[in-house]
Every structure is written in structure tokens, then in C-alpha cells.
Amino acid sequence: MSSEVKDFNHKVAPDWCPGCGDFGLLAGLKKALPSVSLETHDVMVVSGIGCSSNLPGFINTYGLHTLHGRSLPIAQGFKLANHKMTVVAVGGDGDGYGIGVGHLVHAMRRNIDMTYLVMNNSIYGLTTGQTSPTSGFQMKTKSTPFGNPELPLNPLTLALGSGCGFVARVYTGHVTQLIDIVQKAIKHPGFALIDTFSPCVTFNKINTHQYYKENVKDINKLGHNPSDLYAAFREATREDCITTGIFYQSDRPCYEASEEETLREPLFAHKLGISREEETALMAEFV
Ligand SMILES: Cc1ncc(C[n+]2csc(CCOP(=O)(O)OP(=O)(O)O)c2C)c(N)n1
Ligand code: SF4
Ligand SMILES: [Mg+2]
């Protein structure tokens, strides 16, 4: 029996502020998953810490709410242990581009088959409004009252330069585009990064819904060819508008393809080749 959108609804309603951009992402994800024939039990959603990272508690799939910045190591470990599951990591800009950015770079070059959705609001929402790695230059926040002295990180050029085989960006208010990109990212056989503009209506009065509605342009509608890496860099660094869409997609083989023999069966199903007693003793040594 196939799952429908309503099956992905959780009994716990999101506790995000009314108008938070994360609602759009949750709605899009709940529509995208069944549209690529996934059942609720096929999917693991893994997060770090932040308002956005509360998302696994609001969707009826398997879920893991881990440590700040640590969603990707755990999601990759999970995927390798059971590569038959679809793994979606989610979190915020602080989580993924700040404390977790080292994991992100290595996950992108490693290329394990999973999707990473970053709800990028250019602020630390949960901790009430400090500067994040994507806060604008000279932006005034609780932690930089005289203006942010640092340049914002560009997640797209970071991804393009780190070997990521699927690089996209979307505003969470554009749910149709979001669903389309999430579907393609899930079907992509490798690591897919989707940076999403997901406004924090409470602590960021600059990167607002209005701002994105007025300024974003879909590069795929403007004729961008996602197989062209150099064009992707150009689109990711444009200053005349804010670009969204699929910037780059390559057919580089994913990590699992290099371990085909080992991963014929999920790791958890491999026989250890030792007795029950030996297994218990081994576990006791590590746990
Ligand atoms: C190791 C560690 N450092 C700091 C924190 C405090 N902390 C919790 S969430 C967060 C930032 C959240 O920002 P972001 O990831 O952008 O998520 P948002 O709330 O904006 O969705 C911080 C600094 C923590 N929980 N753990
Ligand atoms: S504080 Fe900001 S990010 Fe957090 S729920 Fe409210 S609007 Fe969303
Ligand atoms: Mg944030």
C-alpha cells in the first residue's frame, strides 16, 4: 500500500513562530516523499540542533534529533548501515554552515547517497538572534550590535568547490519549485545539498519573505544548464538578483558504488560469523 501526504503528518504540530519559513519546507518535504513512491517507513530524517532541527519531530517518518552540527556524521553512518533507507538530513545555517561545516565539506566530497536540506535564515533562531555564517556583512544582530564584520559564507560555491554532485537553492515560500527540487535530489544517486531561504520572521528583519519574493529568480527558467560547473559558479555569485534552482548536477558515482560487494546487503544484515556469546562479550566491551 503506498503512502499519501497525510500519512506523513505527525500528531505533534510544529512549535515554530507563525510565519516561520520552516513551515514551507516541512509542507514541501511531506509532499515530495510520497510523490517519489516513498512510504513513511522508508525514510529517516536526521537533524542537529536549532529551530529548524526540530523538524524530525513534526513528520511521521523515522527520525533522529542529534547534536548541534552533527547531523551529517550520524546520517552518513545510518545510511551506510542500512543503505536501503532514504536518508534526509535537515537543519539550520548555524548547524550546517557553522559548527557542522567541516562535516559538510567531507560529506560532499565523499558523496554518500543522501539529501541535505538547510533551512537558511541567516541567523541563529533558537538562541534568539545571533549572527550566523550566512548573516550579511554589517548586519546588526544581538551578537554584532555594531554590524557584522565578517563576510557571509556562500554555501553554493562551497558545495561546487567541494565536489558536491547536486547543488540547489530554493525559497521555502515557492513550494512547487521546492517539491520539484526535493524530488530530483532524492532521486539523485549521491549527496545532494539544497540550501533553502527559510525566513526567521522573529529575529531577522532583513532576509524576509517580502525580500525573497521580490528578488529571487529561477535560473532553470532562465536557461541555465546544470551540467555546466563554471556556469553554476557564475549563477551562484550573481549580484544583480538572488538565484534559485538547480545549479549543478553531475553523474559522478556515489560512495556506495565503490563498495558494491560489501553493500549488496545492508551492513546491519551481515552475519558477524561469531557465536552469540562472543557477540555479547564484544558488545559489552564497547557499550
Ligand atoms: C555544541 C553546542 N554549541 C552551541 C549550542 C547552542 N545552539 C543551539 S542552536 C544554535 C544555533 C541555531 O541556529 P541554526 O542552526 O541556524 O538554526 P535555527 O534556529 O536558525 O533554525 C546554537 C548556537 C549547542 N546547542 N550546542
Ligand atoms: S525564532 Fe525564527 S527560526 Fe525559530 S521558529 Fe521562530 S521564526 Fe522560525
Ligand atoms: Mg538559522
Side-chain angles (χ1 to χ4, degrees):
M1 202 179 69
S2 58
S3 294
E4 299 170 37
V5 178
K6 67 174 172 44
D7 298 322
F8 288 85
N9 290 337
H10 199 279
K11 60 184 176 199
V12 177
D15 59 358
W16 295 316
C17 309
C20 177
D22 299 352
F23 281 103
L25 187 128
L26 177 62
L29 183 60
K30 285 198 288 196
K31 285 195 178 151
L33 294 172
S35 72
V36 289
S37 306
L38 289 168
E39 312 262 347
T40 52
H41 58 261
D42 293 329
V43 184
M44 167 62 90
V45 182
V46 186
S47 69
I49 298 291
C51 294
S52 43
S53 287
N54 290 339
L55 187 143
F58 311 138
I59 187 165
N60 187 29
T61 60
Y62 287 102
L64 276 167
H65 189 183
T66 74
L67 301 173
H68 194 34
R70 307 293 174 233
S71 63
L72 291 181
I74 293 162
Q76 290 170 94
F78 182 86
K79 179 70 182 182
L80 285 183
N82 188 356
H83 65 283
K84 296 205 169 158
M85 295 279 288
T86 292
V87 175
V88 178
V90 298
D93 42 318
D95 198 67
Y97 303 148
I99 190 170
V101 75
H103 297 302
L104 173 60
V105 169
H106 293 294
M108 292 192 289
R109 70 182 188 87
R110 188 171 300 124
N111 204 25
I112 290 174
D113 182 15
M114 52 177 284
T115 298
Y116 185 32
L117 288 154
V118 180
M119 285 158 267
N120 178 359
N121 53 18
S122 301
I123 202 87
Y124 289 177
L126 187 74
T127 47
T128 71
Q130 297 81 10
T131 298
S132 91
T134 55
S135 298
F137 181 57
Q138 295 192 336
M139 180 174 169
K140 289 187 179 160
T141 73
K142 205 175 258 185
S143 59
T144 54
F146 305 111
N148 177 18
E150 299 174 2
L151 286 179
L153 174 150
N154 183 330
L156 303 180
T157 53
L158 179 73
L160 294 169
S162 302
C164 189
F166 187 104
V167 181
R169 180 162 68 187
V170 65
Y171 158 53
T172 60
H174 290 163
V175 180
T176 308
Q177 187 191 12
L178 174 69
I179 295 168
D180 178 54
I181 290 180
V182 173
Q183 288 167 337
K184 288 179 174 140
I186 287 172
K187 286 190 200 155
H188 174 76
F191 189 94
L193 172 71
I194 309 177
D195 179 59
T196 74
F197 293 129
S198 185
C200 172
V201 295
T202 305
F203 296 110
N204 186 338
K205 304 294 181 189
I206 296 170
N207 303 89
T208 60
H209 285 286
Q210 186 74 14
Y211 173 74
Y212 289 119
K213 278 182 191 148
E214 285 170 5
N215 291 296
V216 297
K217 283 208 172 85
D218 180 346
I219 54 171
N220 303 123
K221 284 192 181 147
L222 298 174
H224 170 66
N225 171 7
S227 64
D228 185 338
L229 180 62
Y230 296 100
F233 270 103
R234 274 198 304 278
E235 293 297 340
T237 49
R238 267 173 77 158
E239 287 179 356
D240 59 324
C241 64
I242 301 173
T243 44
T244 59
I246 299 175
F247 289 71
Y248 184 61
Q249 184 166 18
S250 81
D251 53 9
R252 167 163 101 89
C254 64
Y255 181 91
E256 292 91 321
S258 67
E259 299 282 352
E260 215 176 342
E261 189 63 33
T262 317
L263 294 176
R264 188 147 296 138
E265 280 299 314
L267 286 187
F268 81 87
H270 286 210
K271 296 272 176 281
L272 285 176
I274 55 176
S275 70
R276 189 78 187 150
E277 291 71 36
E278 286 169 322
E279 193 184 315
T280 310
L282 190 67
M283 291 301 283
E285 200 180 320
F286 288 105
V287 179

